[in-house]
Amino acid sequence: MTYHVAWDISYRYPEAAIGVVAVVCALAALALAVNPRWRPILRRMSGLWLAAAGLLFAAFGLHNIGLPDGLLLAACAVPALIVAVPAAMDLELPTRTAYGNPIPARTAAPLLLFIYLVATGLTGCQQLASLDLAYQLDSGRATVVAGTVQDFTASQHGANSAKGPECFTVAGHRYCYDWNPITVGFNWTNTEGGPIHNGLQVRVSSIGDVIVRLEIADGQ
């Protein structure tokens, strides 16, 4: 029986790269912010940087979670893009403070910039563990099990529910995972269009409790 790869730990590399880029940008922005002489540079560039931070955040969510929930996470980047435009043009935001004073977009943009970069960086850098897992997989240290999927339990998550991970059994081995963006291994749940279902012939490579490669028999 021959198999094709449906998911591999190397698919996490772009997410790890996004996390590293976000951390580097956050540190660079922080260096500008703490130095009074450089602070005006951060203000002038805040619109462009904020737009980039929002796009990094959205790209991570779409690649990590996929559709449809990835779109929901990516939509959280919309405020960054809304503030980035007036910040680039040095305009005021349509909202005002409690005292009725206008809010310059270039005052709000650096704060949002750090929020998006830190959130993306901390989440993305979790995926750096994929490098070591990939090395172990290539070194033959993974446990490989082949057989038919049984006892499949779909994840029931959503905006108002979180009822545990998705699980299945192959040849007596039980595997569980969820769609959480900090999950390093396989997290492609059925609710996001994942392939797992009862009766599916698969070959699973795992290191500890982490699925590092999922292969599906050809013709399925």
Side-chain angles (χ1 to χ4, degrees):
M1 182 176 294
T2 57
Y3 296 84
H4 62 273
V5 176
W7 191 90
D8 187 85
I9 192 64
S10 62
Y11 295 176
R12 293 292 185 221
Y13 291 175
E15 297 159 21
I18 290 172
V20 171
V21 170
V23 168
V24 171
C25 290
L27 292 175
L30 181 61
L32 294 175
V34 298
N35 190 318
R37 295 174 58 186
W38 297 344
R39 204 169 294 155
I41 300 175
L42 176 62
R43 287 180 58 86
R44 287 196 301 270
M45 299 175 59
S46 61
L48 177 62
W49 280 41
L50 180 55
L55 292 175
L56 283 174
F57 182 89
F60 179 88
L62 287 172
H63 192 276
N64 180 273
I65 300 177
L67 302 175
D69 284 353
L71 283 176
L72 296 176
L73 187 59
C76 295
V78 171
L81 302 180
I82 292 175
V83 176
V85 174
M89 301 173 67
D90 198 15
L91 301 176
E92 296 175 346
L93 297 177
T95 58
R96 291 179 175 269
T97 67
Y99 299 100
N101 299 322
I103 302 175
R106 287 185 176 179
T107 298
L111 177 60
L112 282 177
L113 169 67
F114 282 114
I115 292 174
Y116 279 99
L117 288 179
V118 170
T120 306
L122 291 180
T123 308
C125 284
Q126 297 278 343
Q127 306 303 328
L128 287 172
S130 64
L131 301 177
D132 180 63
L133 291 171
Y135 174 77
Q136 293 186 58
L137 174 63
D138 293 340
S139 300
R141 303 179 193 175
T143 299
V144 182
V145 176
T148 303
V149 171
Q150 299 175 325
D151 301 325
F152 172 71
T153 304
S155 174
Q156 300 294 325
H157 67 77
N160 299 311
S161 64
K163 299 181 180 179
E166 184 168 283
C167 300
F168 66 94
T169 300
V170 176
H173 292 257
R174 189 70 171 167
Y175 303 97
C176 293
Y177 47 91
D178 60 41
W179 67 286
N180 194 307
I182 67 172
T183 300
V184 179
F186 177 77
N187 71 341
W188 191 7
T189 60
N190 202 258
T191 49
E192 272 68 55
I196 298 298
H197 59 81
N198 283 325
L200 185 67
Q201 186 71 26
V202 297
R203 184 163 61 193
V204 183
S205 300
S206 62
I207 297 174
D209 295 329
V210 180
I211 297 175
V212 293
R213 178 175 291 160
L214 175 70
E215 299 168 275
I216 297 177
D218 291 341
Q220 296 193 61

